[in-house]
Amino acid sequence: MKYRKQFDRQVRAEDVWIPTRDGTKLHARIWRPTDAEAHPVPALLEYLPYRKSDWTAPRDAQRHPWYAGHGYASVRVDLRGSGDSEGVMLDEYTETELADGVDVINWLAAQPWCTGRVGMFGISWGGFNALQIAALRPEPLKAIVTVCSTDDRYDNDVHYTGGAVLGIDMLAWAGTMLAFTARPPDPATVGDTKWLPMWRERLDALEPYLHTWLAHQQRDAYWRHGSVCEDYAAIDAAVLAVGGWADPYRDTVLRLVEHLPGPVRGLIGPWSHQYPDRGLPPGPAIGFLQETLRWWDQWLKDDDTKVDDTNVMDEPLLRAWINDPVPPATFYDTMPGRWVGDDMWPSPSVTWDERPLGGADPVIVRSPHHTGIDAGRFFPFGNRTDLPPDQREEDGRSVCFDSVPLTDRVEILGRPRVRLRLDSATPRANVIARVCDVAPDGSSTLVTRGVLNLLSRHGRDRAVEWQPGTFEDVEFELNATGYAFPPGHRIRVAVSDAYWPWVWPHGTRGALTLHPADSAVLLPVRDPGADAGREPIRFDEPEQAEPLAVTVEPPARGRAERSVTHDVATGEWTLEVDPNYGGSRTYPDGLSYEESALERYQIRADDPLSATAGSQWTIRLRRGDWDAEIITSTELRATAAEFIMDSRIEARSNGETVAKRAWHRTTPRTSA
């Protein structure tokens, strides 16, 4: 990693309040060249609820000053009701959030130090709202960079997958956001007399997002809002879409390069849910800031002010990393592999290889309900326990179909599909398919997977119960991947009807009957000679601005980052996870930010109604005589007929309770 202390243009940072149409003011930090009033520059916006004063401050310091030093005003804004901004935040990606974003863009474009051209970038939430605001077409917004984001809020987000409830992140993310939205503004920014009334306003407005998310179990107007896949043509800004094979949102990159009508380029590396320059596993990291600078220069600057005169549209439409085979592990510092490029998507270099599962006799799929305990983290974050371990135990809980040992290397790129001829013993059931790379020693590396709630087999907007005793052909996509199977290895397709805690089980114990001879996996096989004669794809080494002087506290002893226990007598399995988003740290301004979280998922192997998921958070902020603490808990369980939600929060100031609330809600299980 190369750190830059000096740039061609001297940089200044300032905090400002940006007004919105209803008078609510959003707090922003702007890094820009000191001579921008005399020589105006384009503006870049990152717009998040994660608090620029503490939670994202180390990451912000890496990129915003760097962009400013290269001739941009780089702007970090706290969403309404988050960080130091006024107002309250009631949900993800609300119309208010997006309208505020448009107000901010128009305000930036009107500043005397701005040329009137604006770009927007972000990862995860910031990548989501960059796409969504681009679809609103504010005139100054000319380009975006969206990283680890989604175009489909229902089927490619943290709530549902394949029409099934995401047990692991529906609950965990709701618990996280309950704690996050309850955090107070900083009195050092908003004032000693204002911070407590602002905090009380936030606490009074709290309603766990889980209540809303579980009230919409099918793809309805709630989920279509903010899903740009509903109308790709609404986006005319230039879009650089970025993802990682270890990130759950990677499918979006392929859909965007296929469907966006305007300028678009896609980039998928081996990365987790992180910016690709940060060096967090799995690598290799790339010079991502330099790559995005080329994008900004192309769309936001005049020719005489560009750093690089090459046209970014000369790059392949899609640049993707092909992972070479590796033994299964929960952590890879660097993945072996290579970059490939395709000028069209779908690519003529990729053809479908249909492989029947085999066997003429039907087989019964009836997995124990703890199948999925070795699925790994839904959002790999660069931690040592994030990725799926050896899948042999999971394979043993599934019905597996193996190819013969391969005679040649087989590279796949895209979204594999499975077609299964099934009958379900119950009206409601899930089916899960995994593709694994099985080495000669029997070790099994997860390559990709997919889920289908059979209720949604005719569309995510409806629930159609299965008629037991009836066979149907169902087909569904697995997550996108770029992977090379080597000679001598076997391709395994593993089928199960349980995948806890990723997928919440239906309320009745069932079983599937599968006809292998009428079932197949369809692999997107890429021609290994497709890159002959093409210039190799290369990236600069990572470069960032000088890091923020943050002191990170070591994690508490005695707590594993991820642990699995099995009570043999009761048959209960328990998964405990410390999400380890960064832990506790002290900032240069004296702010101490303490964070502790624990997720717990429990189920008995023989009882789908034994499933419970819980999330606990404690966050404490201190500086001088200011001391604010938030303690939350969220729990989800279910009967055969309804989901049951219990949430609690206590907020304290200097040890005294400011607010204490509890919620108990139920909602019918309409399709999940």
Side-chain angles (χ1 to χ4, degrees):
M1 180 72 67
K2 179 181 178 182
Y3 297 115
R4 290 282 298 272
K5 296 182 179 180
Q6 301 294 326
F7 300 96
D8 293 338
R9 298 180 73 168
Q10 190 175 349
V11 175
R12 61 174 292 189
E14 61 178 338
D15 287 0
V16 302
W17 295 96
I18 298 178
T20 61
R21 68 218 161 277
D22 64 359
T24 301
K25 292 182 290 185
L26 308 184
H27 197 257
R29 183 160 297 148
I30 302 176
W31 292 262
R32 58 185 174 89
T34 55
D35 61 350
E37 286 86 353
H39 304 285
V41 295
L44 304 177
L45 169 63
E46 188 177 25
Y47 178 52
L48 292 169
Y50 298 140
R51 301 173 63 93
K52 63 186 179 333
S53 61
D54 45 66
W55 213 66
T56 68
R59 191 179 77 190
D60 296 343
Q62 294 170 339
R63 59 208 64 252
H64 288 280
W66 192 94
Y67 284 138
H70 288 83
Y72 288 87
S74 199
V75 185
R76 173 69 174 82
V77 175
D78 288 335
L79 264 61
R80 178 187 296 239
S82 72
D84 297 320
S85 290
E86 297 177 346
V88 297
M89 189 170 67
L90 303 177
D91 200 354
E92 304 170 311
Y93 322 118
T94 62
E95 291 185 0
T96 297
E97 174 186 331
L98 303 186
D100 285 350
V102 172
D103 290 344
V104 170
I105 287 169
N106 289 330
W107 184 89
L108 293 172
Q111 299 311 297
W113 41 258
C114 182
T115 62
R117 300 176 192 168
V118 179
M120 192 170 180
F121 71 93
I123 180 171
S124 199
W125 194 307
F128 280 48
N129 62 27
L131 276 171
Q132 294 168 25
I133 290 172
L136 299 176
R137 293 190 176 186
E139 194 282 329
L141 185 63
K142 307 301 181 185
I144 70 170
V145 175
T146 179
V147 183
C148 297
S149 72
T150 190
D151 60 341
D152 186 344
R153 291 187 57 222
Y154 179 73
D155 218 26
N156 196 191
D157 199 356
V158 296
H159 318 98
Y160 298 87
T161 182
V165 169
L166 264 171
I168 197 166
D169 252 55
M170 172 73 85
L171 181 283
W173 192 241
T176 299
M177 288 310 299
L178 179 62
F180 279 16
T181 53
R183 293 176 296 187
D186 192 331
T189 301
V190 304
D192 290 334
T193 61
K194 191 176 179 181
W195 79 271
L196 187 56
M198 287 178 66
W199 193 21
R200 291 185 186 278
E201 181 186 22
R202 293 181 187 181
L203 296 170
D204 289 344
L206 278 181
E207 179 76 18
Y209 296 172
L210 183 63
H211 303 164
T212 301
W213 297 342
L214 276 175
H216 299 272
Q217 292 170 33
Q218 297 166 20
R219 186 184 178 86
D220 57 13
Y222 174 80
W223 298 112
R224 290 194 293 271
H225 164 75
S227 293
V228 301
C229 62
E230 294 291 320
D231 183 11
Y232 290 111
I235 297 177
D236 59 7
V239 176
L240 176 60
V242 182
W245 293 134
D247 181 76
Y249 296 150
R250 56 195 185 265
D251 301 345
T252 289
V253 177
L254 299 184
R255 290 193 294 267
L256 291 177
V257 296
E258 178 179 359
H259 294 294
L260 285 181
V264 60
R265 288 295 181 267
L267 176 62
I268 309 179
W271 312 302
S272 62
H273 195 69
Q274 296 284 357
Y275 279 124
D277 58 292
R278 300 196 70 199
L280 294 167
I286 64 169
F288 184 64
L289 292 179
Q290 300 97 301
E291 194 65 21
T292 57
L293 183 65
R294 296 177 59 217
W295 191 255
W296 303 131
D297 283 358
Q298 178 74 36
W299 305 110
L300 302 180
K301 284 189 175 182
D302 297 322
D303 289 341
D304 60 349
T305 60
K306 293 179 181 179
V307 172
D308 190 330
D309 61 0
T310 59
N311 191 326
V312 294
M313 299 304 286
D314 291 337
E315 300 289 355
L317 176 70
L318 175 68
R319 287 171 288 174
W321 178 266
I322 302 292
N323 283 324
D324 279 340
V326 287
T330 61
F331 172 91
Y332 305 96
D333 186 46
T334 299
M335 290 290 292
R338 67 187 183 96
W339 289 103
V340 300
D342 286 280
D343 296 321
M344 297 176 59
W345 195 264
S347 171
S349 301
V350 175
T351 57
W352 288 103
D353 179 7
E354 182 171 334
R355 294 172 175 252
L357 297 189
D361 296 332
V363 296
I364 303 300
V365 180
R366 193 173 188 267
S367 303
H369 282 292
H370 69 288
T371 306
I373 207 79
D374 287 335
R377 185 172 181 171
F378 183 72
F379 270 111
F381 212 67
N383 295 329
R384 298 198 69 86
T385 64
D386 283 357
L387 302 181
D390 195 322
Q391 296 290 285
R392 276 183 277 200
E393 291 188 33
E394 295 282 66
D395 295 347
R397 296 185 277 261
S398 308
V399 175
C400 296
F401 305 92
D402 290 3
S403 72
V404 298
L406 300 174
T407 57
D408 298 299
R409 177 182 171 102
V410 176
E411 291 188 359
I412 61 174
L413 178 62
R415 299 195 70 181
R417 306 198 304 268
V418 291
R419 185 175 63 248
L420 305 175
R421 177 159 290 182
L422 295 174
D423 180 24
S424 173
T426 52
R428 298 179 172 218
N430 297 315
V431 60
I432 298 91
R434 292 177 293 114
V435 173
C436 297
D437 174 9
V438 181
D441 66 359
S443 61
S444 179
T445 300
L446 182 66
V447 176
T448 185
R449 57 196 148 192
V451 174
L452 179 64
N453 178 355
L454 292 179
L455 287 178
S456 67
R457 66 195 183 279
H458 297 307
R460 303 293 191 262
D461 59 345
R462 70 202 79 170
V464 180
E465 291 194 337
W466 198 280
Q467 298 298 317
T470 303
F471 278 90
E472 292 187 33
D473 290 323
V474 298
E475 186 169 319
F476 57 100
E477 290 184 308
L478 313 186
N479 295 126
T481 188
Y483 190 86
F485 295 91
H489 286 218
R490 290 170 289 149
I491 299 174
R492 171 171 292 166
V493 178
V495 181
S496 65
D497 65 342
Y499 206 56
W500 174 260
W502 279 47
V503 176
W504 202 280
H506 288 288
T508 304
R509 185 71 170 98
L512 303 175
T513 302
L514 172 66
H515 273 279
D518 299 310
S519 303
V521 61
L522 294 88
L523 299 176
V525 175
R526 189 174 186 277
D527 179 4
D531 300 294
R534 182 190 291 275
E535 284 290 321
I537 294 172
R538 296 188 177 92
F539 296 95
D540 293 338
E541 290 299 310
E543 181 177 300
Q544 298 171 352
E546 192 173 17
L548 190 67
V550 176
T551 302
V552 178
E553 302 297 327
R557 291 185 177 181
R559 176 189 287 185
E561 191 174 85
R562 187 179 190 91
S563 67
V564 176
T565 57
H566 178 210
D567 186 325
V568 177
T570 65
E572 184 174 71
W573 291 76
T574 301
L575 169 65
E576 288 192 343
V577 179
D578 179 348
N580 191 13
Y581 285 121
S584 301
R585 49 262 196 201
T586 303
Y587 294 87
D589 65 354
L591 175 68
S592 172
Y593 181 97
E594 302 170 25
E595 177 179 286
S596 175
L598 181 67
E599 302 165 16
R600 179 180 290 111
Y601 307 93
Q602 294 176 292
I603 200 165
R604 289 205 307 272
D606 61 350
D607 182 6
L609 297 182
S610 65
T612 63
S615 169
Q616 291 82 42
W617 276 83
T618 300
I619 296 174
R620 189 177 183 186
L621 299 102
R622 293 181 292 164
R623 185 195 297 108
D625 59 2
W626 178 60
D627 189 340
E629 186 176 29
I630 305 105
I631 302 170
T632 70
S633 68
T634 308
E635 183 177 277
L636 178 63
R637 61 191 191 280
T639 67
E642 63 185 8
F643 284 106
I644 303 165
M645 299 161 275
D646 287 286
S647 303
R648 294 176 179 81
I649 182 170
E650 183 174 1
R652 301 169 181 164
S653 175
N654 293 91
E656 296 185 4
T657 298
V658 174
K660 192 172 185 178
R661 301 185 62 186
W663 297 265
H664 175 77
R665 299 285 189 276
T666 62
T667 194
R669 298 183 69 165
T670 57
S671 62

